[in-house]
Amino acid sequence: MPRRDPEALLPLKPKPFHILLALEEGGPLHGYAINKSMGERSGGTVSMDPGGLYRLIARLERDGLLGRTEAPPDETDERRQYVDITDWGRAVLRAEARRIAGLAALPSVRDLAGPGA
Amino acid sequence: MSSASEFVMRLYRAASGLLPRGFPDDYGAGMEAMFRDEWRARTRVGRVVLVGRAAADLVWTAITVRVLGTHGTRLEGGTTMTMWTGWGMDLRTSLRALARAPLFTGSAALSLALGFGGVATVYALADQMLLDPIEGVRDADALVELTPAGLPYPVVQDYQRAMRTLSGVAAHRARTAALELGPGADPRPVPVGVVSANYFDVLGVSPERGRLLTPSDSLQGAPLVAVLSHAIWTELGRRDDVIGTDVRINGAAFRVVGVAPAGFSGLRLWTHPAVFIPVEGWNAASLGRTPTVDRRGWGWMAAVARLAPGASVAAAVEEVRDVAEQIVTAHPENEADLAQVGVVPARLRAADEAGGALPPLLLALGGMALLALLAAAANVANLLLSRATRRARELSVRAALGAGRARLARLAMVEYGLLVALGAALGLGLSVVALRALGAMPLPGGIRIDVAGFRPDPFYLTAACLLLLLVVAVAGIAPALASGRVSSSLAMSDRSGGGGPRGGRLRAGLAALQVGVSVVLLAGTLLFGQSIVRALGVDLRFTPEQLAVVRIDASLFRDDRAAASSAVSRLLEQIREQPGVDAASWSTVAPLTQDRETETFDIVGRAWPDRRPSVEINAVGGDFFEASGIPLVSGNAEAVAGPVRTPTVVVTESMARRYWPDESPVGATLAIMARSSRWRPWRPTRASTDSAVTPGRWSSACSPPCPRLR
């Protein structure tokens, strides 16, 4: 398999970024848990409906950033579909995190954001 | 889980069927589980919001996944194939495909053109006759007209002084008069706008040149002034030196003080005044027929008004009624004029001064045009589906070669978009031709429909285009999407045609819709035809086929009333000498036209419980009944033939039934306010034993009784 460059997929849009971040921190997760995690982390500004979320999951799965996984043994609802971040997804997420951190470290960005940021 | 929640879950599962095949198999369970979790986490109100959002989410997901896949197809090098690339190729492919199927292209475009043309024509008529007929004025929506239309000029002035919900009340009326544009120019009959001095002010019209009318123009002894219409000014070469020259109206000289702006042509769709003069000026131009315009007994003016800021039509109606009562208290002779007062939006009076006849007619025409468009759309949709069935193999091959559903759908969209454009262009042409043909059509009552200058309206053209695009999008793209599911092995075999059971059901549904709409249209057309046949078959009790009517404009004789009278007499004599002419006479109202003259009357010796009644009236010359062939049912035929000796009244059967239900009207004496006299209340016109009765129905739509006076 040819070596791929995660930078080629950057920048990530906020929703894919939040999905990958939720999976990285708490994965594997099902749709509702991902949405809840995104909502908590973004202070309620990022929220998705099932169709939109699963359309995005389908795209991320097709691009290899996440994959289906087995439900944990304690799961009682068999219809819940669990996904988890892949190594490739983790590499892309890290690249995006570095990009954001680099931006945030810029003095002019800090000045623009103000003292409370 | 409660049964309600279970029901909602089942509903969600069923609605997931909207999603393209494959997507629910992969993610449907997860979506449903997430929806259930969201449902459980919310309260009652939140659940209602959730259901609404879920519905919108499913529809949007279905559309985007169908058209774009999950998010476009990623190509090598990081570029993305989206719905915005490759349009030029699709356009060329579509043009070739349409050119290869001329029969299909021709029939579909013709169907679309007929439906589109019908809608564009009827809605252009409706728009210009009802919705937006008044042009060139400020804020036409705030203009209202007082009803009834025939108000004495002093009454309009009373309203102007008293009304608070109306910021201004102006009088207007178009009268035909002979206009001479310069010394030695031939007089020609034109509509003259006889208007109050505040008319342009109330309408919010600014002059193109010079000035418009001002209150000083209506003062006693003020010089006679006129404002030219933009059309007449254009005829004169748009010269600035026209201001200050004289034009003659019925022989009287009027000084031109200004020019009305382009686009303003009065408040009536059928009558565009060539020149505007103050009401007071009409005394000089009325050929001596009208002693003075400020008679309280002559209801001849229409009143236009502007709603005061913040005032409603309902408030204006209330106030108009109150003011009318005050006017009647002060001037009891105006009781009949102000029996039923009201206020209507001015736009409703532009094409139909009497009011009431146009809206239902246009509604019916609009409904039929929409049905025709629906039938055309169903027809085209069926043609598209049949074509898709025939092209299933081609589409399957494209799919097998790698074209996704989105690409096939887009190809179909381009092709059918071109078809709609072709149909719309043809329909627009049809609409222009139809509107011109309507303009050239002679209408009863001498209405010149071409004066209105009908033209297709861009708003309705765009709306009809969008509707047609929607229809072809649904009918054209669905088969393309379906064909994307056909496997490549099928594509290479001969079993690829058919379109499947869903396509068959759609076609059957469309055919049923087409037949249903066609039946409704056919039934409507038959009923309409039957109504016309019945109208033509009405027993008029006389034979209009042998009648010829000549219109004479007495205003062309300028102010010489005696000359007009003797010219008419000479004309009648010459007509009588023509071979094949049995008899000739004159009347102020020709039979079977829309012309009307109405007067109040009294039956001498009878007391009325309420106010005196009014009837349509027609002043006729000797031999009128012989010339028209209208027979007398009873009475003295000798008395109504030959030269006029004594005033004689002939009443119709319907009037006889209404006012003399148990006796003969012959011998009764009527008192009629004769139009040509000065206001003298109830000058009796004797009708003693000379009275006679004619059959009804010899006026075109004579719902009230029609006495005839000579």
Side-chain angles (χ1 to χ4, degrees):
Chain A
M1 193 170 172
R3 184 182 169 79
R4 290 183 291 178
D5 179 11
E7 304 275 339
L9 292 183
L10 303 189
L12 284 180
K13 287 183 177 173
K15 284 173 182 170
F17 177 75
H18 275 288
I19 291 174
L20 294 177
L21 198 58
L23 292 174
E24 172 65 11
E25 289 181 354
L29 295 171
H30 52 78
Y32 176 70
I34 293 173
N35 198 33
K36 204 172 162 197
S37 170
M38 285 198 304
E40 287 165 357
R41 190 174 292 104
S42 65
T45 56
V46 178
S47 172
M48 298 185 79
D49 291 314
L53 179 67
Y54 275 93
R55 195 156 47 90
L56 200 45
I57 286 178
R59 182 192 147 191
L60 295 172
E61 187 182 359
R62 187 200 56 204
D63 290 346
L65 299 172
L66 52 79
R68 306 274 190 100
T69 182
E70 290 292 316
D74 57 344
E75 176 58 80
T76 53
D77 187 346
E78 61 179 18
R79 294 186 69 81
R80 283 180 177 156
Q81 289 174 336
Y82 280 79
V83 289
D84 202 358
I85 191 165
T86 60
D87 291 342
W88 168 240
R90 197 168 286 116
V92 172
L93 181 65
R94 280 187 184 138
E96 175 68 359
R98 278 196 298 273
R99 189 185 69 82
I100 295 172
L103 282 175
L106 289 173
S108 53
V109 173
R110 284 211 299 270
D111 289 348
L112 283 169
Chain B
M1 197 176 229
S2 72
S3 58
S5 300
E6 230 9 275
F7 173 75
V8 173
M9 291 309 133
R10 275 209 299 275
L11 205 61
Y12 188 87
R13 202 173 305 143
S16 301
L18 279 174
L19 297 169
R21 193 172 295 173
F23 194 82
D25 299 342
D26 291 341
Y27 302 104
M31 285 169 60
E32 190 187 328
M34 179 174 167
F35 178 73
R36 185 188 292 127
D37 290 334
E38 297 272 11
W39 177 268
R40 284 176 180 150
R42 291 177 192 232
T43 59
R44 186 175 293 234
V45 179
R47 286 177 173 179
V48 174
V49 177
L50 178 70
V51 168
R53 284 185 57 156
D57 174 56
L58 279 174
V59 170
W60 180 242
T61 306
I63 292 171
T64 48
V65 173
R66 270 183 192 277
V67 177
L68 295 176
T70 47
H71 254 297
T73 308
R74 193 170 292 280
L75 300 177
E76 283 188 21
T79 56
T80 299
M81 176 78 181
T82 70
M83 63 186 294
W84 305 113
T85 46
W87 282 97
M89 194 165 71
D90 285 358
L91 196 64
R92 285 192 296 277
T93 310
S94 300
L95 280 172
R96 277 202 299 272
L98 288 177
R100 273 201 307 270
L103 192 64
F104 160 78
T105 307
S107 346
L110 194 64
S111 278
L112 289 170
L114 288 174
F116 183 87
V119 165
T121 306
V122 170
Y123 284 85
L125 289 177
D127 185 65
Q128 280 163 270
M129 289 167 81
L130 276 185
L131 302 177
D132 191 19
I134 302 172
E135 294 179 343
V137 302
R138 172 171 55 84
D139 190 13
D141 289 339
L143 290 179
V144 293
E145 290 220 13
L146 308 188
T147 59
L151 290 171
Y153 181 47
V155 169
V156 181
Q157 291 174 308
D158 291 342
Y159 277 126
Q160 160 69 11
R161 281 187 290 270
M163 293 296 294
R164 294 290 167 265
T165 53
L166 302 175
S167 61
V169 182
H172 68 105
R173 178 67 193 255
R175 307 287 289 190
T176 303
L179 175 69
E180 295 163 70
L181 287 172
D186 286 335
R188 56 171 168 161
V190 295
V192 171
V194 182
V195 302
S196 57
N198 64 341
Y199 173 75
F200 292 106
D201 192 37
V202 168
L203 298 185
V205 173
S206 306
E208 178 79 31
R209 290 286 189 283
R211 68 169 176 88
L212 300 174
L213 301 179
T214 60
S216 63
D217 295 324
S218 60
L219 296 176
Q220 201 167 14
L224 297 176
V225 295
V227 171
L228 297 184
S229 69
H230 198 274
I232 287 286
W233 185 55
T234 303
E235 207 174 291
L236 291 171
R238 299 194 179 189
R239 299 193 326 264
D240 285 342
D241 60 6
V242 170
I243 312 290
T245 60
D246 283 352
V247 294
R248 286 185 169 272
I249 299 170
N250 282 348
F254 284 73
R255 178 62 47 90
V256 176
V257 293
V259 177
F264 174 72
S265 50
L267 296 172
R268 295 289 180 263
L269 205 57
W270 316 119
T271 312
H272 296 171
V275 57
F276 297 88
I277 61 170
V279 180
E280 289 76 8
W282 185 246
N283 280 336
S286 62
L287 298 172
R289 285 181 299 197
T290 316
T292 173
V293 294
D294 51 15
R295 281 189 307 159
R296 279 205 168 262
W298 185 25
W300 64 301
M301 281 303 209
V304 63
R306 182 172 290 281
L307 286 172
S312 66
V313 172
V317 170
E318 285 289 313
E319 196 189 6
V320 160
R321 284 182 184 150
D322 292 345
V323 172
E325 278 181 21
Q326 294 165 19
I327 297 172
V328 170
T329 307
H331 306 280
E333 65 268 37
N334 288 129
E335 186 181 353
D337 298 309
L338 300 172
Q340 285 182 322
V341 293
V343 173
V344 294
R347 63 183 171 79
L348 293 182
R349 287 290 179 272
D352 181 20
E353 190 159 6
L358 268 182
L361 175 69
L362 286 174
L363 200 65
L365 277 177
M368 287 185 80
L370 263 186
L371 280 179
L373 183 69
L374 198 61
N379 183 32
V380 171
N382 228 339
L383 280 172
L384 294 179
L385 282 173
S386 306
R387 179 168 159 80
T389 306
R390 283 196 301 276
R391 293 179 68 193
R393 189 181 170 85
E394 175 203 330
L395 293 174
S396 300
V397 169
R398 283 180 185 276
L401 290 174
R405 282 184 210 163
R407 193 65 202 277
L408 291 177
R410 195 180 76 179
L411 188 65
M413 208 160 77
V414 171
E415 189 172 321
Y416 301 141
L418 281 174
L419 207 54
V420 167
L422 184 63
L426 279 175
L428 187 61
L430 276 178
S431 176
V432 170
V433 170
L435 288 171
R436 283 203 182 145
L438 270 176
M441 190 181 285
L443 291 179
I447 290 176
R448 297 275 311 278
I449 203 168
D450 56 327
V451 172
F454 288 121
R455 61 205 171 272
D457 184 89
F459 174 78
Y460 296 105
L461 292 182
T462 313
C465 258
L466 288 176
L467 186 64
L468 290 177
L469 266 176
L470 185 71
V471 168
V472 297
V474 171
I477 294 171
L481 291 171
S483 66
R485 291 198 290 268
V486 180
S487 72
S488 57
S489 60
L490 263 179
M492 298 305 161
S493 77
D494 285 334
R495 295 176 290 124
S496 55
R502 280 170 73 180
R505 278 201 298 275
L506 188 56
R507 274 207 303 283
L510 282 170
L513 175 71
Q514 196 182 345
V515 170
V517 170
S518 301
V519 166
V520 171
L521 278 176
L522 193 64
T525 310
L526 286 176
L527 287 173
F528 189 61
Q530 194 181 23
S531 302
I532 289 178
V533 168
R534 279 190 184 167
L536 291 174
V538 164
D539 180 15
L540 296 168
R541 306 277 288 273
F542 77 107
T543 49
E545 288 81 6
Q546 290 178 313
L547 268 185
V549 176
V550 177
R551 279 184 179 271
I552 301 167
D553 190 339
S555 67
L556 292 178
F557 297 97
R558 303 188 188 171
D559 53 355
D560 193 344
R561 189 175 170 80
S565 178
S566 78
V568 170
S569 299
R570 278 201 309 279
L571 183 65
L572 283 175
E573 278 167 24
Q574 285 172 12
I575 291 172
R576 287 189 188 107
E577 285 166 8
Q578 297 297 313
V581 173
D582 285 342
S585 184
W586 61 269
S587 67
T588 52
V589 176
L592 300 177
T593 65
Q594 297 292 321
D595 296 346
R596 291 282 179 277
E597 283 186 22
T598 307
E599 299 290 1
T600 46
F601 76 101
D602 209 352
I603 299 173
V604 174
R606 188 179 293 191
W608 300 102
D610 197 359
R611 62 180 64 87
R612 292 183 179 95
S614 65
V615 281
E616 290 176 19
I617 193 163
N618 188 9
V620 302
D623 293 337
F624 174 78
F625 291 96
E626 188 190 346
S628 62
I630 296 167
L632 294 183
V633 175
S634 63
N636 185 350
E638 292 295 320
V640 295
V644 177
R645 293 186 300 273
T646 53
T648 307
V649 170
V650 178
V651 299
T652 57
E653 276 181 319
S654 55
M655 180 172 178
R657 275 198 299 274
R658 181 158 172 185
Y659 294 106
W660 295 273
D662 302 317
E663 55 183 316
S664 168
V666 177
T669 301
L670 301 189
I672 293 170
M673 207 319 259
R675 179 181 159 76
S676 58
S677 70
R678 281 178 179 275
W679 171 246
R680 283 181 294 171
W682 310 110
R683 182 172 72 101
T685 300
R686 266 185 55 74
S688 64
T689 53
D690 291 343
S691 282
V693 179
T694 66
R697 287 182 171 174
W698 58 278
S699 176
S700 58
C702 187
S703 47
C706 306
R708 301 296 172 216
L709 166 72
R710 46 165 283 188

